[in-house]
Amino acid sequence: MTVMSTHSRRHLTDAPFLVAANGGVPHRRPVWFMRQAGRSLPEYRELRVGVGMLESCFDPELVCEITMQPVRRHDVDAAILFSDIVVPLKAAGIDLDIVPGVGPVVANPVRTVADVRALPRLRAEEVGAVTSGVKLLLDALDQVPLIGFAGAPFTLASYLVEGGPSKNHERTKAMMLADPETWHQLLGVLTDITIEFLRAQIAAGVDAVQLFDSWAGALSLAQYREYVMPHSERVFTEIADAGIPRIHFGVGTGELLHAMGEVGADVVGVDWRIPLDEAARRVGPGKALQGNLDPAVLFAGPAAVESEVRRIAHEADKALTLGAKGHIFNLGHGVLPNTDPTVITDTVALIHSLPSPL
């Protein structure tokens, strides 16, 4: 099935982010940060006064402006669409809200096969505000690539089953292990929603996509392979014909990296717990890597930041000799809300000043 018409696709052949993702040698080390648009920026906090998180995600002009803010301020090599992983669930008609200080809260958690069968499906027109925001961004970004994204089926399932954020994911794992038939039906529905959401962004013109499996690190390798991997694999397979880089990222997934490298992504994100050269060994050759500065390092002062950035760049260079096809500098998770934005700007400049790996 064709994902999209490519008549409006931008051709950013020299963009360092895309060059590295595609296995080329960029003219400078590419860097962007997860959650680079958000609470660390005073201009973001000012814009969000009196505006709910989901409300802002469904306002094309706000989506465009918030996505652009870190690009203007930090000179990062990619923008990531301002949105949230629960946006397609909300758009499809699931009753949920993002509660400040808590996160996504689901009014009617999914606990039974009847609950799964009652879940709505997503139609592309229901995320028209998101795709309108993408189209505004393509004009505003000029030569800077735009990353679209979605939550992976497992992470979305955890929110739906638990009813909100969870430390232990006990209800999620209970369904997974005790009622695998219902579990796979649930993930099948969420996989369909994820694919539709990504296809809509791709059709609107994003230059790459990232699939966030934020909570996959809570799983054993055996659990991941049996209960999660086939669904994530289907997501990547269904968007492969778009011909754009596909990134996969999870937190605490060091023991899953080989499996995550098998699901079909072109770039595998690595959190700060695993050195990039070791990640290259675990993922296997032929994939680019993304990461992996600890977000807390940005609070440690200039000397510590420089030391850690140089260490990671060195490990990235070693990863390339081990078969990684490229490296995109990033944090090992998102920018923390209280991070000084000046430190982020200075860190980007430092990364850009380092020699590009050959």
Side-chain angles (χ1 to χ4, degrees), residues 30-296:
V31 54
W32 69 279
F33 295 139
M34 290 178 280
R35 294 184 188 156
Q36 62 189 17
R39 289 174 290 175
S40 65
L41 300 182
E43 57 266 40
Y44 170 82
R45 295 193 297 270
E46 181 179 346
L47 199 62
R48 279 284 316 281
V49 171
V51 183
M53 176 62 182
L54 282 173
E55 181 184 350
S56 61
C57 291
F58 285 93
D59 183 319
E61 286 75 22
L62 277 180
V63 167
C64 180
E65 172 57 23
I66 293 170
T67 302
M68 287 298 301
Q69 286 176 347
V71 178
R72 296 191 199 104
R73 181 185 274 263
H74 302 314
D75 189 32
V76 284
D77 294 291
I80 185 163
L81 181 70
F82 177 74
S83 187
D84 190 274
I85 63 171
V86 299
V87 160
L89 304 182
K90 180 71 172 181
I94 295 171
D95 189 359
L96 60 83
D97 196 11
I98 299 176
V99 178
V102 178
V105 175
V106 179
N108 301 298
V110 176
R111 304 279 168 77
T112 68
V113 67
D115 294 336
V116 172
R117 290 172 181 163
L119 286 172
R121 303 308 196 263
L122 179 69
R123 301 188 305 274
E125 58 267 26
E126 292 169 327
V127 289
V130 176
T131 57
S132 293
V134 169
K135 291 169 183 175
L136 292 174
L137 278 160
L138 297 183
D139 291 332
L141 283 165
D142 191 25
Q143 297 298 299
V144 178
L146 176 61
I147 305 168
F149 77 91
F154 171 75
T155 291
L156 295 180
S158 178
Y159 282 117
L160 287 181
V161 175
E162 302 290 341
S166 172
K167 289 184 178 180
N168 300 311
H169 310 279
E170 57 267 41
R171 289 183 179 272
T172 306
K173 291 184 179 181
M175 178 190 286
M176 186 173 73
L177 298 169
D179 191 358
E181 183 176 350
T182 298
W183 171 260
H184 284 296
Q185 286 184 33
L186 172 59
L187 261 69
V189 173
L190 294 174
T191 298
D192 291 341
I193 289 173
T194 298
I195 291 167
E196 189 68 18
F197 188 45
L198 289 173
R199 280 180 173 158
Q201 295 174 59
I202 291 167
V206 298
D207 304 292
V209 292
Q210 177 157 316
L211 190 69
F212 285 87
D213 212 349
S214 306
W215 306 130
L219 300 169
S220 70
L221 179 58
Q223 289 169 344
Y224 180 82
R225 285 193 175 277
E226 182 170 355
Y227 298 108
V228 175
M229 189 171 168
H231 303 283
S232 294
E233 190 171 28
R234 183 159 73 89
V235 173
F236 285 114
T237 298
E238 291 287 334
I239 62 172
D241 61 346
I244 62 175
R246 298 160 296 165
I247 311 168
H248 199 17
F249 173 74
V251 183
T253 52
E255 299 305 318
L256 308 180
L257 282 175
H258 184 69
M260 291 181 73
E262 293 178 333
V263 300
D266 307 293
V267 183
V268 177
V270 183
D271 79 4
W272 67 92
R273 297 170 177 87
I274 302 292
L276 287 170
D277 50 333
E278 175 59 24
R281 293 185 183 95
R282 296 186 184 192
V283 171
K287 307 285 185 182
L289 300 180
Q290 181 173 276
N292 66 340
L293 182 69
D294 184 341

Side-chain angles (χ1 to χ4, degrees), residues 310-321:
R310 290 184 179 277
R311 176 184 64 80
I312 288 166
H314 178 64
E315 291 171 357
D317 292 350
K318 288 200 291 184
L320 295 177
T321 69

